[in-house]
Structures are given as C-alpha cells and as structure tokens.
Amino acid sequence: MRAYGFKSNGGPEVLEEIQVPTPRPGPGQVLIEVAYAGVNFAEVQHRRGEFGEPDGPGGYDVPGLEVSGTVAALGSGAAGPAVGEQVAAYLPGFGGYAEFAVVDADSSGRWLRFRSRTRPGCHASIRRPTGC
C-alpha cells in the first residue's frame, strides 16, 4: 500500500511516498481504509526528531495519530464497528499517513464521537449515525 514516511528527521521535504505492506488486523483489532489523516503539531515534532530517530520497518516512520475512514476488516474477536461503517480513531503508535491503518477495537478512548455544528442535536458515533 502507499504511505508517506520519513527515513531521516527534518522539515517537510523528508517525507517520501513509500510502499509498505498492508496491515492485517490481529485479534481484537480493526482495519480502517483511511480517507483522512490528521496533521497536527505532534506529527511535526515526530518528523523533526523530537521523539527520536526513525526506527520503523525499513528504517521509515509513518506519522499520523488520527484517521477517519471506513472499516475494511475486523480481526478475530473484535467488538467494535462493523465492516463498512465510517469511523474516526486515534493511533497511539502513529501510522495514519497511509491507505490503511490498524487500531484496537475495544479501547474505548481510541474511538471518537462527533457532533454536528450545523445541525444542533445531530451527531454520529462510530457505531451508527443518530438523530439525523
């Protein structure tokens, strides 16, 4: 799959398009087909080296702490959203700048819930849109 990573610390110019294996969800995990990845100061710090030198597979780190997209697959025993549901998730180990990302399904703090700013009382959770 396509991802964006860096092999050395520095400015935005160190980011490269790379090919990495598509992750497979393990027991209790969810595979998300990423539509959007958050770009925050933590990713800048990561890229600049404030969290150390890149040490991921092949010497590359793939940044990205937050993603949203569609559940593509569930690992065995995953108690979370169904395949095809749209979700947002926090990736504590980074990896969101990629076409797919894996996250634990049963870690309640890792799933996000959003409320509509344009339609008061309307909100969507990772399980089902409600009130819309």
Side-chain angles (χ1 to χ4, degrees):
M1 74 171 176
R2 184 176 50 177
Y4 289 88
F6 58 95
K7 201 170 192 170
S8 62
N9 298 120
E13 69 280 355
V14 302
L15 286 169
E16 301 175 45
E17 184 177 312
I18 59 176
Q19 291 294 316
V20 297
T22 301
R24 293 185 179 186
Q29 294 183 322
V30 173
L31 178 67
I32 299 170
E33 184 174 6
V34 176
Y36 300 96
V39 179
N40 299 289
F41 190 61
E43 282 82 18
V44 173
Q45 290 175 298
H46 186 191
R47 189 193 70 235
R48 291 192 314 201
E50 294 176 32
F51 303 147
E53 294 293 319
D55 62 358
Y60 283 91
D61 276 359
V62 176
L65 286 170
E66 302 161 350
V67 297
S68 64
T70 304
V71 174
L74 301 173
S76 64
V83 171
E85 284 191 85
Q86 293 183 342
V87 297
Y90 170 64
L91 308 173
F94 292 98
Y97 288 12
E99 292 180 296
F100 292 90
V102 170
V103 67
D104 291 342
D106 58 358
S107 297
S108 59
R110 295 187 182 160
W111 296 107
L112 305 178
R113 180 180 176 135
F114 295 95
R115 293 190 180 275
S116 171
R117 291 178 188 223
T118 57
R119 295 173 63 188
C122 177
H123 63 274
S125 70
I126 64 153
R127 297 233 180 238
R128 297 174 197 5
T130 59
C132 295

